[in-house]
């Protein structure tokens, strides 16, 4: 039975190497949970390892690693209190230009990996009447230009969360969605670098069509991250969702998420299109983009 105390219970946090995942693992351990913190590399685990935090090598797209985690939990007498599905990647590019391999990679990590680990651990969560915490995004309700793959996976995660909640809530398992806005983590910086790398591979015609847009979105992403909340604040919201006896179905993180998700709920599509274009207007480059992206292309091919 889920309780408000973590003593004697296990929580799994995926994507715990840095950012929100690492902060969540540390916060949960301070509340008495034993955290199985999923990391991709042993070095990340060494940095994270502490009292109450047990790093485990976990790529959620690798079935053998997911099964190894399930075996680790099955061998432990402590109940599984919660699964925090936090692992994710950010890959941005216009729908026309983003390679299909990147679309599949984004959905594999940001959606199918979460479904796979949830399926695997759900029997343990049903026994303990625990909960699933899915880390979505403001992009799960509002898709900016170049966010087609990322937002598409997050939209789908929101739908899967709704379906799962209606399936397992009568069985005693809570399903909660966390919707962060701008958060100061390394993920956004990596996303900008990936977007630039992919933009450098566009054809000259595609560069003419989308070069300025890509730069504007990257600039907006940089500014939004710089002004965003800390990963520690996001972790506090996740801990609340983990520990509250009767949690809400969704929690936003940051004022930007609360405002934009509310607007997405009430404004018509054309109004949202206008807001999106206006938010990007000041971020568009004042000089032609062809030279900039051509220099990036040279760097990629060299």
């Amino acid at each position: 039975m889920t309780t408000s105390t973590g003593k004697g219970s296990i929580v799994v946090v995926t994507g715990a190497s840095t950012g929100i995942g690492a902060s969540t693992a540390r916060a949960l351990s301070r509340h008495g949970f034993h955290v199985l913190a999923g990391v991709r590399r042993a070095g990340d685990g060494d940095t994270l390892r502490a009292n109450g935090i047990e790093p485990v090598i976990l790529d959620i797209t690798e079935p053998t690693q997911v099964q190894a985690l399930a075996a680790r939990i099955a061998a432990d007498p402590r109940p599984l209190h919660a699964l925090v599905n936090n692992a994710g990647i950010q890959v941005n590019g216009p729908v026309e230009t983003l390679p299909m391999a990147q679309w599949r990679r984004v959905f594999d990590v940001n959606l199918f990996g979460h479904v796979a680990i949830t399926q695997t651990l759900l029997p343990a969560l049903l026994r303990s009447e625990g909960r699933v915490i899915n880390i979505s995004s403001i992009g799960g309700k509002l898709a900016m230009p170049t966010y087609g793959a990322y937002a598409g996976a997050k939209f789908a995660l929101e739908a899967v969360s709704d379906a799962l909640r209606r399936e397992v809530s009568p069985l005693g398992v809570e399903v909660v969605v966390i919707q962060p806005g701008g958060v100061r983590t390394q993920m956004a910086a990596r996303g900008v670098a990936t977007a630039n790398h992919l933009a450098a591979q566009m054809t000259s015609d595609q560069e003419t069509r989308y070069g300025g847009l890509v730069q504007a979105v990257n600039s907006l992403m940089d500014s939004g991250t710089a002004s965003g909340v800390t990963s520690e604040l996001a972790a506090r919201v996740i801990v609340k969702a983990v520990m509250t006896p009767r949690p809400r179905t969704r929690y936003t993180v940051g004022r930007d998420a609360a405002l934009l998700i509310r607007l997405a709920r009430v404004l018509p599509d054309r109004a949202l299109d206008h807001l999106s274009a206006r938010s990007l207007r000041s971020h568009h480059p004042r000089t032609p983009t062809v030279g900039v992206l051509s220099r990036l292309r040279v760097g990629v091919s060299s």
Side-chain angles (χ1 to χ4, degrees):
M1 176 75 68
T2 295
T3 66
S4 60
T5 178
K7 189 173 182 180
S9 299
I10 294 173
V11 173
V12 170
V13 179
T14 68
S17 296
T18 61
I20 293 175
S23 295
T24 299
R26 294 187 178 105
L28 287 167
S29 70
R30 290 193 295 270
H31 283 279
F33 290 101
H34 184 80
V35 181
L36 298 179
V39 297
R40 296 281 302 277
R41 294 170 292 273
D44 295 333
D46 293 339
T47 302
L48 191 60
R49 192 182 306 276
N51 185 37
I53 301 178
E54 178 187 340
V56 293
I57 299 299
L58 180 64
D59 180 339
I60 62 173
T61 68
E62 290 290 338
T64 56
Q65 294 184 15
V66 173
Q67 290 298 329
L69 173 64
R72 163 67 186 83
I73 292 168
D76 198 306
R78 293 169 291 192
L80 178 61
H81 179 100
L83 165 63
V84 180
N85 281 316
N86 171 72
I89 57 173
Q90 185 164 341
V91 178
N92 286 20
V95 171
E96 180 188 351
T97 70
L98 191 65
M100 287 307 303
Q102 294 293 339
W103 282 89
R104 294 187 178 98
R105 178 170 172 256
V106 170
F107 273 75
D108 205 22
V109 176
N110 291 0
L111 178 65
F112 300 134
H114 298 320
V115 173
I117 197 167
T118 300
Q119 287 182 335
T120 302
L121 299 186
L122 198 53
L125 290 167
L126 287 165
R127 286 192 296 271
S128 65
E129 295 189 0
R131 59 192 57 178
V132 178
I133 312 295
N134 286 333
I135 311 304
S136 180
S137 166
I138 188 175
K141 293 295 184 182
L142 185 67
M144 291 285 288
T146 78
Y147 276 74
Y150 180 81
K154 292 298 187 181
F155 266 67
L157 182 62
E158 296 262 352
V160 170
S161 299
D162 285 342
L164 179 64
R165 186 183 68 252
R166 289 158 188 161
E167 292 162 2
V168 299
S169 179
L171 304 175
V173 174
E174 299 282 0
V175 179
V176 182
V177 173
I178 308 294
Q179 300 166 317
V183 182
R184 299 198 293 273
T185 67
Q186 297 176 16
M187 182 177 175
R190 290 194 295 265
V192 169
T194 300
N196 283 331
H197 176 79
L198 292 170
Q201 300 173 50
M202 293 192 299
T203 67
S204 58
D205 286 344
Q206 291 171 343
E207 185 177 323
T208 299
R209 288 195 285 273
Y210 306 117
L213 175 65
V214 169
Q215 289 190 64
V217 171
N218 285 348
S219 174
L220 179 64
M221 193 189 314
D222 277 336
S223 64
T225 301
S227 61
V229 301
T230 65
S231 60
E232 288 78 15
L233 188 147
R236 287 201 294 271
V237 177
I238 296 169
V239 169
K240 180 179 180 180
V242 168
M243 297 186 69
T244 300
R246 184 165 177 78
R248 303 204 308 256
T249 59
R250 281 173 171 79
Y251 293 87
T252 57
V253 179
R255 292 180 179 178
D256 57 339
L259 174 61
L260 289 174
I261 288 174
R262 190 175 300 118
L263 290 176
R265 195 179 298 132
V266 300
L267 291 181
D269 289 343
R270 296 299 183 188
L272 291 171
D273 292 349
H274 176 74
L275 284 177
S276 172
R278 191 173 70 179
S279 70
L280 289 168
R281 193 169 298 141
S282 63
H283 293 274
H284 273 272
R286 298 181 183 278
T287 56
T289 62
V290 174
V292 175
L293 294 181
S294 295
R295 287 196 295 274
L296 285 172
R297 187 175 293 114
V298 169
V300 169
S301 61
S302 61

